[in-house]
Amino acid sequence: MDDFGVLDLIWSVIVIYAVLFLLMTLFSIVVDLFRDREASGPKKAAWLIFLLVLPIIGALVYLIARGQGMAERAIQHQRAARTEFDTYVKDVAGSGGPAQEIAAAKALRDDGTITEEEFAALKAKALA
């Protein structure tokens, strides 16, 4: 029976880490390829074939040749996602709901800025 020593364990961990690193890098490259609106279909297909045939060399060449554009596209994607999230939060949070609208209208009525009829109309609108 063959002994599995500490050095074998360390070597296995290093190999597994390297394989996972390569897979994550390839996944990021493929996502970037499909995110790039300037590259044509045949160019994307050629990159994919190159990555499938020679994954390590293909990944290195891609990162050297298109790494800067890859970073810029990632930043643009992050900004767009952030803008969408901020818009969603503002839409959901809104003005605080009907209770806050009614409280604001009541404060205006108490200050004499609006009449009782205007307050009733704002209250009906908030509850609708």
Side-chain angles (χ1 to χ4, degrees), residues 1 4 12 25-27 56 58 69 104 109:
M1 188 166 183
F4 190 77
S12 297
T25 303
L26 290 173
F27 180 76
I56 295 173
R109 182 193 66 184

Side-chain angles (χ1 to χ4, degrees), residues 48-107:
L48 285 174
I49 291 170
F50 187 40
L51 288 168
L52 287 173
V53 174
L54 299 168
I56 295 173
I57 295 172
L60 288 173
V61 170
Y62 187 89
L63 291 174
I64 291 169
R66 299 177 47 97
Q68 185 65 30
M70 187 176 179
E72 291 170 2
R73 284 184 290 280
I75 291 170
Q76 289 173 353
H77 180 72
Q78 288 290 330
R79 285 184 183 147
R82 177 63 183 220
T83 302
E84 284 181 33
F85 177 76
D86 290 345
T87 302
Y88 173 76
V89 169
K90 287 177 185 175
D91 288 345
V92 170
S95 62
Q100 189 173 0
E101 290 180 26
I102 293 171
K106 183 179 182 306

